[in-house]
Structures are given as structure tokens and as C-alpha cells.
């Protein structure tokens, strides 16, 4: 078969730390102390670790706020880096998670008794941890069956469910867990983390650009770090400008958005509207991005009264749904611009 | 003899003609802390060519020695086949080929790749690359299956997602990737390329004709080069007034638009239907047919501006239905009749 799939006998396992990695992995917090901005959550978790009585847990919050990092850090603090691998079972959306599979895997994992081998530097409590990442993507059926599994094995295992949308976890399951909310990071927390990375990587930055970056990342620290690496890689050692950061985030330039909205407002004929739209679409910007920037632009425009803004807003809601279902982006943006021009008349 | 489009395809980042600023930036990227990439832009912009150049930059010439295999997957209900292009260092696949079963491909294939290391001990990078085409067509479930894989196996694996738009890529995937936007090249850039080809092929091509070809190709370099090759094969001398051939199916669209503008009646609908069938039998995708008719009507000078509001509204409405429904012809026809009634209502 394909040589691509053959494994090379790996002589060098676990040189992990030395391999240069993209920054989002390189700067994943290794200990619970270094998790930014989730002080409350971390403090409560630390307390529970000390009391040796870990409950089942449910972590929820938007992407890139530290959920996965926290449970990994917690496991490391409980078992130490060596034992950690044998004490946790991670199941995520890339695993088959039909309930039968979960039951079998958890059963096998829980069955092997916790060995007496201990790392004397760590507490090593007598239970194992099952991490169910992306749990909100499990079917309702799988979730309700999971209740039994949790009960059956709760002597020897603790479960940690992780999700973005807590409302998609069925109540009977959620109520069995201690809930921990992960907040989107605010600007100052994001900037201070970025500053630390800039110093380690010798990136040339100005405080304004870091702040701009933090704003554009909307509380998602992973996104902020990814943007930072993009900016510094793509610009080698030059100073990072705020323009380049907007480009990296896929934000349409204000000029382009303005020219689009202005052409709609100035009673241009349809051929001219079409040309204005084609120009933005050919530049490769995503229609969702254009839609949201045009919306912001309209909301700030005092030349439209409230009724007009409401009318446009209603259409925008419709267009968002269209785009999510894969409707042609060019047509949708053209429709948007025609609506604005029509409303303006 | 190969087509010019292949003959003149650049294979290194330095030689990429369009968007040289972007190419220079990409060159800085090819270190070992290379991140996952999400490359997006209109079709024809040269995303694929750029990806091949990145691979070559990362791994050297070995990345160009490719082969094609077929892999089969068993599911409870059926057996799936997917084509895989691979070199020693990378593989490329189009998961949307298996429709809603795409998640299985990721679960089996990616996890398998992720858990093995580079075979070639002398490889320039420790990681392998998986190129995923049409990433915006992947189901949300399958996208979710990528999330932890992209993090957990970072030391063995990098992913390059390639798509037209990021609108349908879920947020957690977007934030795991470096975003690279590839716009269509400018008219000038395309003309320069055409003239470069012309001088290599020893054909005379004036700047103004080159501009005309580029313009008519709507900034799509692939289309421009193909058109130019057709023109060159037809005539010996290319003067500035020579007609630039339009693609057959676009002429059919022009026809349809003309008919709709001229008579808004039931018989128009049945002639239009014949033409739509004709287009479909030539593999023109239904959504493209609807779009081109809609744009043709929207920019037609004989239609009242009021009618155009309704026309563009029903274009998005029926395109949406077409994508979520099953029988595309119904939706195209429904659009055509609603366009005709919009035109009629502004006539008197
Ligand atoms: N609170 C935080 N403190 C420090 N780094 C963080 C924090 N949150 C996110 N990061 C950075 O972002 C990366 C991803 O974080 P993590 O995997 O914990 O996110 P997540 O909340 O699990 O997101 P998702 O919902 O997408 O899985 C980390 O490797 C780290 O670099
Ligand atoms: Mg996570």
C-alpha cells in the first residue's frame, strides 16, 4: 500500500518539548498557575484537588478560553507528567462515540486497577479521569446513556465533560457535574499574555497593535496567538502594523466597505452596483465578514433613520441564514447592496 | 504537448507571478513552527498552485513525485471510496466526495496518519502535511472531528485547508489556522502573464489585446490563458480588433437572458427549460446557471430598476432552496418565472 501510511519505527518518542511547534501549542499553559484570566475557576479547582475529592466536572465556554488546557494541566498536577498518560482517557469528536463504543472504552480503561506505582512528588489520587472533549456534539441518546456509565464507574473514575454550548448538554447529565464556566478573555488579559509571548519570541510590537489584536480576537486567546504568529512570521522581523493585523484577521479594509456602501447610497445603477460587489468578492473576502462589517457601518450611519436600519437589519438576518446554508456569496452580497440602495431612495 | 495552462504553471514560490507580496510572506513561513493553514479565495485565484509551491518549499522536490490511490471505507450501510493523491511527505484529499460520510474519512484516515511519523528519516520537516480540498463543503460534524486532532498531533501533522470562502468553516477550526486570503490577480498581472506566454511561444500579442482578454475573463487567469490559447490556435495574426471567443455555455446564458427580457410568457419558460437541460447535460452546475442568469438580468439595461430589486431577492431565495432542496431544475424555473413576473409588473 501507500508508503505514506507506513509508520517508521519511532526511535525517538517523546522529544516533544524540543520540537519547534506553532505558537498556539508552544504556549499552551503547562500548569494551572499559568492559565490566564480564569482565576475563579482555577481557584475552585485547586481547592478541590487539595481536598482529594474531585467531583465530575463540566467545563463550558467559547473556543480558545483554556478548557482543554485546564483539564490537561489539572491532570498533570494530579499525576505528574509520567503517570498522566496512563491515568487519563481522552475521547473527542474525532473518535467514534456511539454509546457502545464509549461503554467499552470506559469499561476497559476503568477495569485495570489504578496501579500502586506513584510519583511521590504528586498527589496521585486513586481514581482515573475520563475526558469527553466536545461533548456538546454527542447525540442526546449517547448523552443519556452516558449517565449510567458515569454511575457505574464513579468509584474509580471521574468524568470531565468539555463543551462550547452548555445548553446542548442534557440536564440530567449536567446536574451530575460541578460546572465551570470559562469566560472570553478581556483585552487586558489577552494583551498581557501576548506581551509575554512577544518578549520570548523577540517580536517587535507596539502596545497599540497588541491591543488591536486583542480586540479582533474577540476573547479567543488561541486566535490572538495565531494572529500574532501570522503577523510576525509574515513580516519577518519588521514592526507589526495594525494594518497587517487586520489583513491577517481577514478584515475588509474600511475603504472597501465604504466604497461599497457609498455606491449603494448614491443611486448608482445596477451595473455599477454589480461592479462594486464583484470587486470585493474577487478580493476573496468571506461574505459573512462583509455582511457583519456592512452592518456595523450602517448602524453608525446617521443618514439612515431607525426604520430604515430596522428594515436592512431584517434582511441581514435572512442573509446570514442563506450564507450558513451555502447560498452563493456573490448573489447574497449583491442582494444586500440592492436592499441598502432601495432603502435609501 | 501540454496545454499552456500546465506548461506555464509556476512550481516555486519565487516564480509565482501573481500576488508576489503574498508569496514573499509565505516564504517566511516555511519553518518548523509552520502552523495549520486555511487558504481561501475565489476559484481561479491560484490557491492550488500556491499550495504545491509551499509543499515544495517545505520538503523539496520529493513533494512533486505524486501518485494516486483509492482508499475504501466500510460503514454500516455502504462502502465508500475516496481518491487520495500523495507524495512521501503529504497527502491530498477531497472529503466532500463522500458527502455526509466525510466524518468517517477523518476519523479513520487522519487519526491513522497523525499517529505515524514521517517515513523518510531525512525529511526536511518532522511533520507530514494533509491538504484538504473544498473544506467549505465539509459537514460540521466532520469539521468538529478535526478539532482535537489538529492539536493533539501537532508534532506529526499539519493541515492545509483549501476553500472558496471561510463563511462555513466553524469558528474553532478557523482559530486553529493561519488565514491566508488569495484574491484574484489584477487585470494587469494577467495581461503580463499572457504577454510572457506570447513571447515564449513567439506570437505577437499587443498590450491592449492582452488587457481585453484578461478583462473578458473576469480576472480569472485560468480562463484567460485558455482563451488565449484557443485564439492563437485559430488565427495566425492577432490584431487588436479580433473578436475574443466567448465560451459556449456563456452564450447559452446570454440567450436565456435575452429571451426572458423580450417576452414574459409561458412559451419562454419552455424554451428556457430546454436550454437549461442542455446546460446541465454539459455539466454546468445548476447554482452557476441560476447565478449567471440572475446577474445577466440584474445588469440588463432594458429592465426597470424596481424589477431588479425583486429579481435579486428571488435569486438568493431560490438559490437557497436549490441548495437545500433536491431537484435543481424546479428552483431555477421558479426563479425564471418570478423574474418574468417582476419584469411584467413594472411594464405598465
Ligand atoms: N486561559 C488561557 N490561558 C493561557 N492560554 C490560553 C488560555 N486559553 C487559551 N489559551 C491558548 O489557546 C490555546 C488553546 O486553548 P484550549 O485548547 O485550552 O482552548 P479550548 O477552550 O479548549 O478551546 P476549544 O473550545 O476550541 O476546544 C492554548 O494552547 C493556549 O495557547
Ligand atoms: Mg478544546
Amino acid at each position: 500500500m501507500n508508503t505514506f501510511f507506513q509508520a517508521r519505527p519511532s526511535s525517538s518518542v517523546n522529544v516533544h518539548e524540543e520540537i519547534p511547534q506553532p505558537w498556539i501549542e508552544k504556549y499552551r499553559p503547562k500548569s494551572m498557575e499559568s492559565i490566564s484570566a480564569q482565576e475563579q475557576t482555577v481557584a475552585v479547582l485547586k481547592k478541590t484537588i487539595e481536598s482529594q475529592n474531585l467531583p465530575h466536572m463540566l467545563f463550558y465556554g467559547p473556543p480558545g478560553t483554556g478548557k482543554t488546557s485546564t483539564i490537561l494541566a489539572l491532570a498533570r498536577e494530579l499525576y505528574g507528567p509520567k503517570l498522566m498518560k496512563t491515568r487519563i482517557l481522552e475521547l473527542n469528536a474525532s473518535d467514534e462515540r456511539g454509546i457502545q463504543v464509549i461503554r467499552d472504552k470506559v469499561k476497559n480503561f476503568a477495569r485495570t486497577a489504578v496501579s500502586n506505582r506513584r510519583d511521590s512528588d504528586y498527589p496521585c489520587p486513586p481514581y482515573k479521569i475520563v475526558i469527553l472533549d466536545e461533548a456538546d456534539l454527542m447525540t442526546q441518546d449517547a448523552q443519556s446513556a452516558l449517565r449510567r456509565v458515569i454511575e457505574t464507574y464513579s468509584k474509580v473514575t471521574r468524568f470531565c465533560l468539555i463543551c462550547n454550548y452548555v445548553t446542548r448538554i442534557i440536564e440530567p447529565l449536567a446536574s451530575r457535574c460541578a460546572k465551570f464556566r470559562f469566560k472570553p478573555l478581556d483585552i487586558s488579559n489577552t494583551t498581557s499574555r501576548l506581551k509575554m509571548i512577544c518578549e520570548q519570541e523577540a517580536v517587535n510590537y507596539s502596545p497599540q497593535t497588541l491591543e488591536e489584536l486583542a480586540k479582533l480576537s474577540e476573547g479567543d486567546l488561541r486566535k490572538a496567538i495565531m494572529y500574532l504568529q501570522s503577523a510576525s512570521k509574515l513580516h519577518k522581523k519588521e514592526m507589526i502594523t495594525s494594518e497587517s493585523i487586520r489583513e491577517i484577521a481577514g478584515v475588509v479594509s474600511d475603504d472597501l466597505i465604504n466604497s461599497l456602501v457609498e455606491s449603494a447610497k448614491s443611486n448608482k445603477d445596477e451595473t455599477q452596483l454589480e461592479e462594486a460587489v464583484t470587486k470585493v468578492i474577487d478580493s476573496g473576502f468571506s461574505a459573512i465578514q462583509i455582511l457583519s462589517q456592512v452592518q456595523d457601518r450602517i448602524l453608525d450611519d446617521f443618514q439612515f433613520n431607525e426604520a430604515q436600519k430596522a428594515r436592512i437589519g431584517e434582511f441581514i438576518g435572512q442573509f446570514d441564514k442563506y450564507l450558513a446554508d451555502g447560498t452563493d456569496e456573490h448573489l447574497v452580497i449583491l442582494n444586500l447592496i440592492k436592499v441598502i440602495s432601495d432603502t435609501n431612495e | 504537448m501540454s496545454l499552456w495552462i500546465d506548461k506555464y504553471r509556476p512550481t516555486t514560490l519565487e516564480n509565482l507571478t501573481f500576488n508576489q507580496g503574498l508569496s514573499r510572506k509565505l516564504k517566511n513561513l516555511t519553518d518548523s513552527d509552520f502552523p495549520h493553514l486555511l487558504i481561501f479565495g475565489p476559484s481561479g485565484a491560484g490557491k492550488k498552485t500556491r499550495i504545491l509551491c509551499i509543499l515544495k518549499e517545505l520538503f523539496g522536490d520529493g513533494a512533486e513525485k505524486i501518485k494516486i490511490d483509492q482508499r475504501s471505507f466500510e460503514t454500516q450501510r455502504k462502502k465508500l471510496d475516496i481518491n487520495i493523491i500523495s507524495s512521501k511527505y503529504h497527502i491530498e484529499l477531497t472529503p466532500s466526495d463522500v458527502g455526509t460520510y466525510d466524518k468517517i474519512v477523518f476519523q479513520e484516515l487522519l487519526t491513522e496518519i497523525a499517529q505515524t511519523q514521517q517515513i523518510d528519516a531525512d525529511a526536511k520537516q518532522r511533520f507530514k502535511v494533509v491538504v484538504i480540498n473544498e473544506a467549505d463543503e465539509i459537514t460540521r460534524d466532520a469539521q468538529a472531528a478535526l478539532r482535537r486532532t489538529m492539536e493533539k498531533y501537532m508534532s506529526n501533522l499539519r493541515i492545509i485547508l483549501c476553500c472558496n470562502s471561510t463563511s462555513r468553516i466553524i469558528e474553532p477550526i478557523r482559530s486553529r489556522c493561519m488565514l491566508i486570503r488569495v484574491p484574484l490577480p489584477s487585470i494587469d498581472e494577467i495581461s503580463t502573464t499572457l504577454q510572457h506566454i506570447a513571447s515564449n511561444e513567439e506570437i505577437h500579442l499587443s498590450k491592449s489585446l492582452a488587457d481585453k482578454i484578461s478583462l473578458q475573463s473576469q480576472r480569472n487567469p485560468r480562463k484567460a490563458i485558455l482563451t488565449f490559447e484557443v485564439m492563437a490556435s485559430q488565427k495566425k495574426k492577432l490584431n487588436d480588433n479580433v473578436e475574443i471567443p466567448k465560451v459556449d455555455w456563456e452564450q447559452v446564458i446570454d440567450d436565456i437572458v435575452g429571451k426572458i427580457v423580450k417576452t414574459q410568457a409561458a412559451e419562454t419558460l419552455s424554451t428556457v427549460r430546454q436550454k437549461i437541460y442542455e446546460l446541465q447535460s454539459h455539466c454546468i452546475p445548476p447554482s452557476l446557471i441560476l447565478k449567471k442568469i440572475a446577474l445577466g438580468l440584474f445588469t440588463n439595461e432594458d429592465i426597470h430598476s424596481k424589477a431588479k430589486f425583486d429579481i435579486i431577492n428571488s435569486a438568493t431565495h431560490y438559490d437557497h432552496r436549490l441548495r437545500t432542496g433536491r431537484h435543481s431544475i424546479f428552483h431555477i424555473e421558479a426563479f425564471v418565472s418570478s423574474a418574468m413576473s417582476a419584469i411584467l409588473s413594472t411594464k405598465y
Side-chain angles (χ1 to χ4, degrees):
Chain A
M1 232 236 89
N2 201 323
T3 45
F4 187 84
F5 293 100
Q6 288 161 14
R8 178 162 58 96
S10 54
S11 48
S12 49
V13 208
N14 259 337
V15 269
H16 231 79
E17 308 297 331
E18 301 136 46
I19 307 171
Q21 293 210 329
W23 297 1
I24 51 169
E25 272 315 302
K26 186 170 176 187
Y27 293 99
R28 186 184 286 281
K30 298 280 177 302
S31 68
M32 294 182 65
E33 270 81 35
S34 48
I35 306 240
S36 316
Q38 312 293 356
E39 295 82 6
Q40 248 191 333
T41 303
V42 170
V44 177
L45 278 173
K46 287 223 87 147
K47 270 232 180 69
T48 38
I49 298 183
E50 279 156 22
S51 73
Q52 286 263 336
N53 188 20
L54 202 64
H56 300 303
M57 294 164 286
L58 172 58
F59 290 3
Y60 65 98
T65 48
K67 302 178 296 298
T68 305
S69 308
T70 302
I71 191 63
L72 294 177
L74 183 142
R76 191 175 292 115
E77 280 179 27
L78 280 180
Y79 307 111
K82 278 188 236 117
L83 280 186
M84 181 178 157
K85 292 207 176 59
T86 61
R87 298 288 177 91
I88 61 174
L89 170 67
E90 187 189 330
L91 295 171
N92 56 61
S94 66
D95 301 300
E96 183 48 60
R97 288 195 296 189
I99 187 58
Q100 196 50 47
V101 178
I102 292 196
R103 211 173 269 144
D104 293 347
K105 281 196 177 159
V106 173
K107 194 164 137 195
N108 280 333
F109 174 69
R111 197 176 47 197
T112 54
V114 179
S115 67
N116 289 326
R117 210 158 67 83
R118 301 185 46 158
D119 196 325
S120 53
D121 295 333
Y122 297 91
C124 289
Y127 48 76
K128 302 181 178 182
I129 297 182
V130 179
I131 303 173
L132 283 166
D133 212 335
E134 291 130 22
D136 43 354
L137 292 157
M138 289 170 63
T139 61
Q140 299 252 327
D141 286 349
Q143 288 189 32
S144 36
L146 189 61
R147 286 182 304 179
R148 284 294 305 279
V149 180
I150 293 186
E151 260 152 33
T152 316
Y153 297 102
S154 74
K155 270 229 176 67
V156 279
T157 54
R158 295 293 180 274
F159 281 76
C160 179
L161 309 185
I162 304 183
C163 65
N164 292 128
Y165 302 99
V166 71
T167 49
R168 292 195 195 149
I169 303 292
I170 59 169
E171 182 48 36
L173 191 56
S175 63
R176 282 175 168 71
C177 304
K179 296 193 195 63
F180 295 93
R181 184 168 97 94
F182 286 71
K183 303 175 296 208
L185 276 83
D186 64 20
I187 308 266
S188 83
N189 278 316
T190 307
T191 6
S192 63
R193 184 86 185 164
L194 292 178
K195 209 180 268 163
M196 183 278 282
I197 296 176
C198 282
E199 267 140 34
Q200 298 238 344
E201 298 285 338
V203 177
N204 261 324
Y205 67 95
S206 74
Q208 295 101 287
T209 46
L210 288 196
E211 200 176 308
E212 173 128 21
L213 226 155
K215 267 188 208 141
L216 284 172
S217 64
E218 299 170 311
D220 179 340
L221 186 55
R222 175 175 41 227
K223 204 190 243 172
I225 297 175
M226 184 51 95
Y227 287 169
L228 183 68
Q229 190 192 357
S230 310
S232 88
K233 280 288 148 187
L234 298 181
H235 291 263
K236 268 277 167 67
K237 297 285 172 215
E238 301 154 31
M239 181 79 127
I240 301 169
T241 64
S242 73
E243 196 186 323
S244 69
I245 283 173
R246 290 166 64 90
E247 164 66 39
I248 279 155
V251 176
V252 190
S253 74
D254 287 340
D255 286 352
L256 212 49
I257 291 291
N258 268 332
S259 77
L260 199 58
V261 174
E262 286 309 322
S263 67
K265 282 168 67 181
S266 58
N267 287 325
K268 292 263 172 61
D269 70 32
E270 282 76 12
T271 307
Q272 288 164 311
L273 294 185
E274 209 310 272
E275 274 164 13
V277 170
T278 301
K279 194 169 155 208
V280 187
I281 294 286
D282 283 355
S283 307
F285 291 107
S286 90
I288 288 279
Q289 182 69 35
I290 302 170
L291 196 64
S292 90
Q293 282 185 251
V294 167
Q295 182 183 34
D296 291 345
R297 169 73 176 66
I298 298 286
L299 286 177
D300 289 342
D301 193 330
F302 58 86
Q303 287 178 18
F304 291 104
N305 63 33
E306 294 309 308
Q308 289 173 318
K309 285 179 186 173
R311 178 174 189 257
I312 297 172
E314 210 169 295
F315 274 100
I316 286 181
Q318 176 73 62
F319 296 152
D320 183 61
K321 165 75 175 144
Y322 281 172
L323 290 173
D325 290 338
T327 306
D328 186 87
E329 307 213 331
H330 189 143
L331 288 180
V332 171
I333 298 302
L334 191 56
N335 199 168
L336 169 70
I337 295 310
K338 181 69 182 159
V339 164
I340 296 173
S341 132
D342 186 75
T343 308
N344 192 48
E345 270 169 18
Chain B
M1 204 194 82
S2 59
L3 288 169
W4 290 354
I5 189 91
D6 295 320
K7 187 170 168 189
Y8 292 98
R9 183 191 297 280
T11 56
T12 62
L13 283 173
E14 289 89 352
N15 291 342
L16 277 174
T17 342
F18 311 129
N19 254 308
Q20 288 179 345
L22 179 58
S23 308
R24 242 174 287 124
K25 289 179 187 169
L26 287 175
K27 235 180 123 61
N28 292 342
L29 251 188
T30 45
D31 264 336
S32 35
D33 54 2
F34 185 79
H36 303 299
L37 301 183
L38 173 54
I39 299 189
F40 63 102
S43 76
K47 300 183 291 293
K48 205 46 178 298
T49 309
R50 215 163 277 267
I51 291 174
L52 297 178
C53 295
I54 294 175
L55 289 171
K56 188 166 173 181
E57 188 80 31
L58 280 172
F59 297 107
D61 296 339
E64 287 177 322
K65 297 200 190 74
I66 55 161
K67 55 180 182 173
I68 302 177
D69 303 289
Q70 202 173 49
R71 273 281 296 243
S72 303
F73 297 90
E74 297 282 350
T75 72
Q76 282 151 357
R77 258 166 263 154
K78 63 180 194 179
K79 198 168 146 258
L80 307 167
D81 293 315
I82 186 165
N83 285 328
I84 293 179
I85 300 173
S86 64
S87 75
K88 260 200 302 194
Y89 309 108
H90 85 284
I91 83 164
E92 178 187 329
L93 61 155
T94 311
S96 58
D97 284 353
V98 294
T100 50
Y101 292 96
D102 49 2
K103 182 174 168 195
I104 299 164
V105 176
F106 285 167
Q107 284 180 332
E108 299 206 358
L109 198 62
L110 279 194
T111 326
E112 179 183 331
I113 298 165
Q115 287 170 350
T116 62
Q117 290 186 332
Q118 193 71 265
I119 337 148
D120 178 357
D122 302 324
K124 277 168 77 183
Q125 312 292 344
R126 302 188 61 101
F127 56 82
K128 293 177 283 191
V129 173
V130 175
V131 178
I132 297 175
N133 292 323
E134 295 182 17
D136 41 1
E137 301 292 335
I138 301 173
T139 59
R140 295 180 140 246
D141 262 4
Q143 292 188 39
L146 277 179
R147 287 168 63 167
R148 269 303 276 159
T149 308
M150 287 171 86
E151 296 180 334
K152 233 168 135 178
Y153 302 105
M154 195 74 106
S155 45
N156 285 348
L157 176 74
R158 295 293 194 279
I159 289 181
I160 299 182
L161 296 162
C162 180
C163 60
N164 290 132
S165 162
T166 58
S167 296
R168 280 193 296 159
I169 308 284
I170 60 172
E171 190 57 43
I173 297 292
R174 263 190 273 174
S175 85
R176 282 163 170 83
C177 297
M178 185 179 287
L179 306 176
I180 309 272
R181 178 175 60 88
V182 186
L184 285 179
S186 67
I187 300 287
D188 251 3
E189 285 175 316
I190 300 177
S191 302
T192 312
T193 304
L194 291 181
Q195 288 198 294
H196 166 75
I197 295 176
S199 77
N200 254 312
E201 300 288 331
E202 298 179 352
I203 299 168
H204 174 75
L205 175 71
S206 70
K207 170 89 170 94
S208 74
L209 184 59
D211 282 349
K212 251 166 76 183
I213 299 174
S214 317
L215 210 67
Q216 187 173 309
S217 311
Q218 290 155 320
R219 287 173 67 185
N220 183 331
R222 189 189 304 141
K223 209 164 153 189
I225 296 173
L226 286 172
T227 308
F228 177 42
E229 188 168 5
V230 169
M231 291 170 70
S233 68
Q234 282 168 351
K235 288 214 179 66
K236 284 264 144 16
K237 242 190 156 31
L238 294 174
N239 60 29
D240 285 4
N241 304 324
V242 48
E243 180 138 359
I244 299 168
K246 241 191 171 179
V247 195
D248 296 349
W249 71 268
E250 290 188 337
Q251 264 159 8
V252 179
I253 297 276
D254 287 352
D255 260 16
I256 294 177
V257 170
K259 293 241 154 41
I260 297 173
V261 177
K262 195 155 160 254
T263 0
Q264 298 82 39
E267 70 259 31
T268 310
L269 208 54
S270 64
T271 22
V272 166
R273 177 180 304 158
Q274 284 316 313
K275 289 190 184 294
I276 294 173
Y277 280 138
E278 195 183 310
L279 288 171
Q280 284 192 321
S281 71
H282 285 86
C283 295
I284 310 296
S287 50
L288 188 60
I289 300 176
L290 192 152
K291 175 179 175 174
K292 289 288 173 181
I293 299 177
L295 293 181
L297 293 171
F298 193 76
T299 51
N300 189 291
E301 286 172 7
D302 298 327
I303 299 177
H304 193 284
S305 179
K306 279 267 172 311
K308 288 179 178 176
F309 180 79
D310 296 335
I311 288 173
I312 189 69
N313 268 337
S314 44
T316 50
H317 175 78
Y318 287 110
D319 187 47
H320 179 231
R321 293 204 162 181
L322 185 153
R323 303 213 186 221
T324 41
R326 300 171 115 223
H327 298 283
S328 46
I329 188 85
F330 294 164
H331 306 291
I332 304 181
E333 282 195 5
F335 165 66
V336 170
S337 30
S338 94
M340 288 199 295
S341 78
I343 298 172
L344 265 183
S345 70
T346 51
K347 260 195 169 165
Y348 309 104

